[in-house]
Amino acid sequence: DLKQEEEEEEEEAHAAREKKSAKSSAGNGSGNGGGNEGASSFAARARAALLLTWPLVGTKLVGAVVNSAVGAVRPLVLKNTFNLGEAELGLVMSSIFFGTAVVSLGLGALTRLVGSERAVVSSALAGIAAVFWAQAAVFGGGFSLANNPGAAAVGGAGGSSLPLSADGLAGKRLYVGLAMAAALFQFPLATTLTSLSTSRVPSDAKGTLVGLEHTCFALAGMVGPGLGVALLQHPSFSLGGIAAGAAAVFTGLFLFWKQDGGGEATTTTGAATDDKCKAS
């Protein structure tokens, strides 16, 4: 009898171990399935969001790369070419951010003034392009540092037709003023593009879209500065050439928006997309 009881207890313990193992396997399978389902759901939301907002996200990505490149060049030019000290350089950068803060407070009024958010985007793109074209004209072939041989050249080959030098205030003020003007257009552009893009996607895809946009900004921050500095150091480029390249890019974006309206004509309805995302 004692032996029989021991055998029964051993069988019960074995059955309990098998039951526990089965539950553990089922839990792992469910967890893996949930992870695959979550990854599939994210991919579906990302794809649906990009189908609706690719003109907006693309505009932000291209513009961010160019702005990052120009932004990396700016302190080098101010310090090495226009001989600004650390305190002056800090004051210039702080002034640029102060200007963007002021513009942000009036962005609602600005939108009402121009009529729509898409009009804000078009106007900002045109403004940035105009500023860079002006910078290219001023600091291109017509700008040299013949009066200051110790400074790094920012203009192209040939003589200067403008009475500017790195030691004078005219060149510094022009460059800083144009940099501040460009920044005043850049903030409304980025903010309005985000507002438009998030309004085109269903609620369950907004977080996914914002994450994708932040990824785009991170990529621009990785690529842009190296590109800008490389172009500045290349013998075939000058400060005016970099500005002309940036102006050409923003002019192209402006023409795209004037023609396509930011992809408005090809955008499906939000309700249909919402249903697609829920079905996925």
Side-chain angles (χ1 to χ4, degrees), residues 164-193:
L164 303 178
S165 72
D167 287 331
L169 289 178
K172 296 178 184 179
R173 288 175 175 175
L174 274 172
Y175 185 77
V176 171
L178 291 171
M180 293 186 66
L184 296 182
F185 287 110
Q186 288 164 359
F187 180 84
L189 174 64
T191 303
T192 306
L193 285 173

Side-chain angles (χ1 to χ4, degrees), residues 52-53 56 117 192-202 206 209 270:
L52 286 175
T53 62
L56 302 163
E117 289 181 318
T192 306
L193 285 173
T194 298
S195 175
L196 284 171
S197 62
T198 53
S199 67
R200 289 189 179 185
V201 298
K206 292 185 185 295
L209 176 63

Side-chain angles (χ1 to χ4, degrees), residues 26-275:
N28 291 337
S30 176
N32 292 337
N36 293 335
E37 182 181 352
S40 176
S41 178
F42 171 81
R45 290 195 304 270
R47 180 176 181 274
L50 288 176
L51 285 175
L52 286 175
T53 62
W54 67 265
L56 302 163
V57 176
T59 300
K60 290 187 73 171
L61 176 59
V62 173
V65 170
V66 175
N67 289 331
S68 295
V70 174
V73 167
R74 184 179 301 129
L76 298 177
V77 172
L78 290 173
K79 183 175 176 60
N80 298 333
T81 299
F82 294 113
N83 301 322
L84 264 67
E86 286 78 3
E88 291 177 303
L89 181 60
L91 178 61
V92 169
M93 305 304 287
S94 297
S95 299
I96 290 175
F97 281 105
F98 175 76
T100 59
V102 172
V103 171
S104 68
L105 295 176
L107 186 55
L110 176 64
T111 303
R112 291 190 295 271
L113 178 65
V114 299
S116 67
E117 289 181 318
R118 288 194 298 277
V120 171
V121 172
S122 297
S123 300
L125 290 171
I128 296 173
V131 169
F132 282 132
W133 282 125
Q135 191 178 82
V138 173
F139 299 103
F143 178 82
S144 70
L145 299 180
N147 296 326
N148 189 358
V154 298
S160 173
S161 60
L162 298 174
L164 303 178
S165 72
D167 287 331
L169 289 178
K172 296 178 184 179
R173 288 175 175 175
L174 274 172
Y175 185 77
V176 171
L178 291 171
M180 293 186 66
L184 296 182
F185 287 110
Q186 288 164 359
F187 180 84
L189 174 64
T191 303
T192 306
L193 285 173
T194 298
S195 175
L196 284 171
S197 62
T198 53
S199 67
R200 289 189 179 185
V201 298
S203 57
D204 63 343
K206 292 185 185 295
T208 302
L209 176 63
V210 172
L212 292 172
E213 291 188 355
H214 281 285
T215 301
C216 289
F217 274 116
L219 290 174
M222 293 168 58
V223 175
L227 177 63
V229 174
L231 291 176
L232 183 65
Q233 295 175 339
H234 197 279
S236 299
F237 283 86
S238 65
L239 177 59
I242 294 174
V249 171
F250 277 101
T251 300
L253 291 174
F254 169 74
L255 295 176
F256 167 74
W257 270 79
K258 293 297 290 184
Q259 178 181 3
D260 188 61
E264 187 69 20
T266 59
T267 301
T268 58
T269 63
T273 306
D274 200 353
D275 293 340

